[in-house]
Amino acid sequence: MLRNVLARFFTESFFVHRTVKYSPSIQASSSPFASVRNFTDVKDESQQEFDTSLLEFLVCPLSKKPLRFEVATNELINDELGIAYPIIDGIPNMIPQEARLVQKDSDSPAQE
């Protein structure tokens, strides 16, 4: 049984190799170097703006509270938790591990 399996494996491997080696359509398209697209050339110079109409639907994934859009930092801010989610190329990154902690000045007690 093992002999039959090995014989079939080598026969099929040889057939596939021979088909690929002598096939003109595969030879013409294959090259020793793979072409790689450079995505830095594709990016626009201008950054895409965030669509503020999405604020009706977007909520903080942790507290489920509405978010506030901060134009200066281009972030969605949860004032309750003090978390800022970045917006990259017009797409909000709502992953809590990627969020930035925001300092709350109003919560700090006044020192005398």
Side-chain angles (χ1 to χ4, degrees):
M1 182 172 159
L2 180 62
R3 176 197 258 175
N4 290 342
V5 171
L6 291 176
R8 187 172 180 187
F9 172 74
F10 288 119
T11 305
E12 288 179 4
S13 298
F14 175 74
F15 178 73
V16 169
H17 177 70
R18 187 179 61 161
T19 304
V20 170
K21 184 176 180 182
Y22 296 112
S23 175
S25 62
I26 295 175
Q27 279 184 342
S29 65
S30 65
S31 67
F33 302 104
S35 64
V36 178
R37 185 174 176 186
N38 190 356
F39 287 104
T40 56
D41 297 338
V42 177
K43 290 185 179 178
D44 295 355
E45 293 296 321
S46 63
Q47 195 176 38
Q48 293 180 358
E49 293 189 22
F50 175 67
D51 185 10
T52 55
S53 65
L54 293 175
L55 289 175
E56 298 175 24
F57 308 106
L58 291 177
V59 295
C60 176
L62 299 175
S63 68
K64 310 297 187 247
K65 301 288 181 181
L67 298 167
R68 174 178 56 89
F69 176 58
E70 182 65 38
V71 179
T73 59
N74 200 29
E75 294 175 325
L76 294 176
I77 298 177
N78 180 340
D79 292 320
E80 182 179 292
L81 296 178
I83 297 176
Y85 296 100
I87 299 174
I88 303 166
D89 293 330
I91 302 170
N93 184 351
M94 304 294 286
I95 301 172
Q97 291 83 1
E98 303 282 329
R100 177 178 68 87
L101 291 177
V102 179
Q103 295 290 334
K104 294 183 182 180
D105 294 333
S106 61
D107 290 344
S108 61
Q111 295 182 3
E112 297 173 23

